[in-house]
Amino acid sequence: LAGTVPEEERCTVERVDASLTYSLFLQRFAFSRPVILGGVTDNSAFRALCTREKLLAAFGPFPVRLSTANTYSYRKVDLPFQEYVEQLLKPQDPARLGSDTLYFFGDNNFTEWGPLFQHYVPPPFRIPGTSPAYSFGVAGSGSGVPFHWHGPGFSEVIFGRKRWFLYPPDKTPHFHPNETTLAWLQHTYPTLPPAQRPLECTLRPGEVLYFPDRWWHATLNLDTSVFISTFLG
């Protein structure tokens, strides 16, 4: 079926638990490599507000801004959240180009979504000199954002599973900017020698990935997923 993605058991991103201290986070990860944090926050209350029924009841009529799922250039489309959920929240067609795939992530109107974000408990770590900004998203299975980079941040899965692929700043991945992550996984990933493979892992609800500044990354939602990122700008 289009958008049905098998889970890869391999995880090459280090996992740590709530015993990680802020000083160790700064020393070992903040400026050098990604890490998956487990048990550092409890967002069960936020998760309860993010079911399909609750989100539609709270935000259904409000417009949301969708972006195309390609790299470097983005087309923006505004439509009611309910229309997005009922008509576009479907499995990714592997043959569909990124420029023809609409994705809801970020571009959140904080006047409307702010009351929801007040219930989110962000990871307890920060990078000195930065301030946090939230980006919230809902997406179908097989969807995702192809390789790109920006400043550091955290990303937490609220519902579903999300597979991540990461390369350090000095190792530009081989990808076509208008190819979806699913197409890249099917066509390019199998041809990569072991030394050219990215760091990768699948996140489950409650797990948080930290990615450092300028690290290349691509994402792939294995299920219909709800997720939130904390960008450190």
Side-chain angles (χ1 to χ4, degrees):
L1 295 174
T4 300
V5 187
E7 180 170 343
E8 172 57 62
E9 295 299 329
R10 174 174 47 244
C11 180
T12 52
V13 180
E14 184 174 352
R15 274 190 162 98
V16 298
D17 60 24
S19 64
L20 181 72
T21 63
Y22 180 45
S23 60
L24 277 178
F25 168 76
L26 289 176
Q27 177 185 332
R28 296 178 56 193
F29 303 109
F31 307 103
S32 57
R33 55 197 169 116
V35 62
I36 296 172
L37 309 171
V40 296
T41 57
D42 177 7
N43 272 303
S44 53
F46 181 75
R47 186 173 297 111
L49 297 173
C50 292
T51 63
R52 178 187 176 103
E53 294 74 18
K54 290 284 182 65
L55 288 178
L56 283 175
F59 305 104
F62 292 134
V64 291
R65 176 155 291 181
L66 311 178
S67 302
T68 49
N70 54 340
T71 307
Y72 303 130
S73 63
Y74 305 98
R75 179 169 59 94
K76 304 289 186 178
V77 175
D78 294 339
L79 80 170
F81 178 67
Q82 182 164 348
E83 186 175 333
Y84 171 71
V85 170
E86 294 179 349
Q87 298 184 19
L88 298 180
L89 196 60
K90 299 176 180 178
Q92 174 74 46
D93 180 348
R96 198 172 181 87
L97 293 175
S99 57
D100 296 326
T101 301
L102 293 173
Y103 194 74
F104 173 49
F105 177 57
D107 285 320
N108 306 116
N109 183 319
F110 278 78
T111 301
E112 296 161 356
W113 292 85
L116 175 66
F117 297 159
Q118 289 177 6
H119 295 274
Y120 179 65
V121 181
F125 306 131
R126 289 288 176 267
I127 306 298
T130 68
S131 58
Y134 295 143
S135 283
F136 179 76
V138 182
S141 66
S143 65
V145 179
F147 281 106
H148 64 289
W149 59 265
H150 42 67
F154 299 92
S155 186
E156 179 169 353
V157 174
I158 305 302
F159 285 113
R161 297 166 299 155
K162 183 185 284 283
R163 189 171 171 187
W164 282 75
F165 307 92
L166 304 110
Y167 285 100
D170 60 353
K171 197 171 181 179
T172 303
H174 176 68
F175 71 102
H176 189 287
N178 201 22
E179 185 178 55
T180 63
T181 305
L182 181 59
W184 174 87
L185 179 66
Q186 293 176 339
H187 303 144
T188 302
Y189 181 90
T191 70
L192 297 175
Q196 294 181 24
R197 285 186 173 175
L199 291 178
E200 60 181 286
C201 205
T202 297
L203 265 67
R204 292 175 177 79
E207 293 185 312
V208 180
L209 173 77
Y210 168 75
F211 49 87
D213 187 30
R214 295 176 182 266
W215 270 66
W216 289 94
H217 54 281
T219 61
L220 184 68
N221 299 295
L222 302 185
D223 312 299
T224 299
S225 300
V226 178
F227 41 89
I228 186 167
S229 291
T230 306
F231 292 117
L232 304 176

